[in-house]
Amino acid sequence: MDCLFCKIVDGQIPAAIVKRGDSYTAFNDITPQAPTHILIIPNQHFANMAELATANPGLAGEIFKAAGDIAREIGLDSYRMNVNTGAGAGQSVFHAHLHLLGGRTFAWPPG
Ligand code: AMP
Ligand code: ZN
């Protein structure tokens, strides 16, 4: 399968890895939208977070736990976790991922 994020997990495409677990990889977003912008992805391919959560709810939980752990480890006390699902919502890479954004204030509602 020709998937950018699978290639990052496999090391075929370089990324600024923040943390790795048996089930997930976290790396800096190449186009950061905040001073901290980290993507946390399952090492296994799923098209989006909803498909991941349906197929393997425990793994979906591990992704969210990893994001919270990373936020704590880097000293973020306010942050946003964001999941875009579907092109209309801004999803551009169809391998499940959670955005962890921090280091600035965020508006609500989101754009
Ligand atoms: P989304 O638009 O929610 O699908 O998020 C995909 C994210 O992947 C975007 O924020 C992109 O900036 C990011 N991205 C795309 N290519 C790379 C890459 N090679 N390394 C790191 N992040 C990437
Ligand atoms: Zn993939």
Side-chain angles (χ1 to χ4, degrees):
M1 185 191 302
D2 191 27
C3 171
L4 174 65
F5 284 0
C6 282
K7 289 178 180 169
I8 286 177
V9 171
D10 291 347
Q12 294 173 47
I13 289 180
I17 304 293
V18 173
K19 196 173 180 184
R20 268 188 207 280
D22 290 342
S23 59
Y24 72 86
T25 300
F27 53 95
N28 287 324
D29 196 293
I30 204 166
T31 310
Q33 301 300 317
T36 296
H37 188 171
I38 296 168
L39 302 173
I40 302 95
I41 72 172
N43 291 340
Q44 191 184 346
H45 182 88
F46 296 91
N48 58 52
M49 284 294 290
E51 287 198 8
L52 162 59
T54 299
N56 190 337
L59 178 53
E62 286 180 44
I63 299 294
F64 279 88
K65 180 181 184 301
D69 288 348
I70 291 167
R72 193 176 332 101
E73 286 160 12
I74 65 178
L76 287 179
D77 53 4
S78 291
Y79 50 87
R80 186 165 285 180
M81 291 184 188
N82 189 85
V83 175
N84 299 324
T85 304
Q91 187 177 2
S92 60
V93 178
F94 291 85
H95 177 128
H97 54 279
L98 175 61
H99 295 257
L100 172 64
L101 298 135
R104 65 171 172 86
T105 54
F106 295 97
W108 191 264

